Amino acid sequence: MSSPLLRRIILTAYVAVMVLASLFIISRTFSDGDMVQIDDREAVMRRRTTGVLVSLTVDDPVWEPVTISDQEYLFNLSQQINALPRVEGQFPGEGQEKLSGVMEFANGSREEYSISTVLTIGQTVYYSDEVEEALQEIRQDLAARLYTPGNLSHLLSAGPGVILENGSLSAALSPSETGRLCQAVQAGEVVENPQEVSQTVADLSPRFTIRLQDASGTDRLRLSVYANESILVYNTYSSGQRLVLCFSGELVPLCQELLAGD
């Protein structure tokens, strides 16, 4: 056998052995069930902050915090967050309508978050001009689970002072009267577009106003009750006295009765 031919046979055999060895190593390294460690801090942070949510709390300085554990909702929220770009460079400051709380993930990690014009999870900020509507949708969904007639009813029942007035008359409600008010509030039905109702009654004066006060006598919430049974709820402790809830309910006759009986 000639020397050149022998060298070609040896080289071919060497290449074949190396290819088979490489395939064997790759198959062992990435076999089912094995964990591959990625030594990249950005990748690790990305996995942690956009992992599967198992619970989420929504906090407010006055309203009772709520915990969300609806797995379908949390899965969809995780998908929404995964689609958001992370900020590189400048981004808008947080708005007044900020909500905050804690996210808990399937791996056991917990991160504080806040959302207004931007979403912040831990040290990661999500924002771009293209996703402003998506961020607003996430915030509105969370707000809808916090600001509810049921949570408002609990807040009124726990409050130290509930004042009912119609302009000329004013009365501090007793615990039993507050209990009746809470029942009527809890039976209310949420209006999906509070801004539209707000515009409808913009030129009207409310028939009654209900104010929730803290122990120092400072107003925390205001309910404007209109003749058409629309009730607008404002956070009066925050700058601008934000409209946070709109619902319909049979409060007008009850308010009339409570004031008449004072």
Side-chain angles (χ1 to χ4, degrees):
M1 183 180 294
S2 64
S3 178
L5 178 59
L6 179 60
R7 286 198 297 270
R8 283 199 295 271
I9 293 174
I10 293 173
L11 179 61
T12 301
Y14 175 79
V15 171
V17 169
M18 293 301 294
V19 169
L20 290 173
S22 299
L23 291 174
F24 177 78
I25 293 172
I26 291 173
S27 66
R28 294 291 295 173
T29 302
F30 295 98
S31 60
D32 292 342
D34 287 345
M35 179 178 293
V36 179
Q37 181 173 349
I38 302 176
D39 295 322
D40 181 88
R41 184 177 183 278
E42 178 63 22
V44 172
M45 289 297 295
R46 184 161 57 249
R47 287 187 174 196
R48 183 176 68 175
T49 56
T50 61
V52 177
L53 282 166
V54 294
S55 71
L56 177 150
T57 62
V58 190
D59 297 333
D60 180 278
V62 170
W63 292 68
E64 187 76 13
V66 297
T67 299
I68 302 173
S69 56
D70 181 338
Q71 292 305 300
E72 181 177 357
Y73 173 80
L74 292 174
F75 176 79
N76 291 332
L77 178 59
S78 298
Q79 297 295 97
Q80 288 178 288
I81 294 173
N82 286 340
L84 297 174
R86 293 160 183 78
V87 170
E88 295 182 1
Q90 295 183 339
F91 57 90
E94 292 184 326
Q96 294 179 350
E97 298 184 355
K98 181 175 73 172
L99 293 176
S100 60
V102 175
M103 293 179 171
E104 184 173 344
F105 301 90
N107 64 1
S109 64
R110 294 164 60 89
E111 292 283 1
E112 293 184 355
Y113 78 91
S114 65
I115 183 167
S116 53
T117 50
V118 301
L119 170 63
T120 301
I121 303 177
Q123 301 300 315
T124 305
V125 180
Y126 300 82
Y127 175 80
S128 76
D129 293 340
E130 291 74 19
V131 298
E132 285 184 348
E133 290 187 7
L135 287 168
Q136 182 66 13
E137 179 181 343
I138 292 174
R139 191 210 163 276
Q140 288 175 346
D141 286 344
L142 293 176
R145 294 180 178 250
L146 175 65
Y147 304 123
T148 66
N151 206 1
L152 174 61
S153 173
H154 177 81
L155 195 60
L156 291 169
S157 65
V162 178
I163 309 300
L164 171 63
E165 55 192 18
N166 69 352
S168 59
L169 297 176
S170 178
L173 299 185
S174 68
S176 62
E177 291 172 332
T178 300
R180 294 179 62 191
L181 175 64
C182 290
Q183 290 179 349
V185 168
Q186 193 160 6
E189 296 185 4
V190 174
V191 175
E192 296 298 332
N193 192 339
Q195 299 299 334
E196 182 176 322
V197 176
S198 178
Q199 292 174 2
T200 301
V201 300
D203 296 329
L204 303 176
S205 297
R207 285 283 305 275
F208 300 95
T209 299
I210 302 169
R211 295 184 286 115
L212 173 66
Q213 297 182 332
D214 60 18
S216 67
T218 303
D219 287 354
R220 309 302 278 168
L221 294 177
R222 183 180 78 252
L223 285 68
S224 295
V225 182
Y226 290 88
N228 63 357
E229 297 291 0
S230 294
I231 300 98
L232 304 183
V233 184
Y234 299 86
N235 277 353
T236 54
Y237 61 86
S238 62
S239 176
Q241 302 192 16
R242 294 187 293 113
L243 173 63
V244 295
L245 173 65
C246 177
F247 67 100
S248 61
E250 298 181 2
L251 266 66
V252 170
L254 175 60
C255 290
Q256 289 175 329
E257 180 184 342
L258 293 176
L259 276 182
D262 183 49

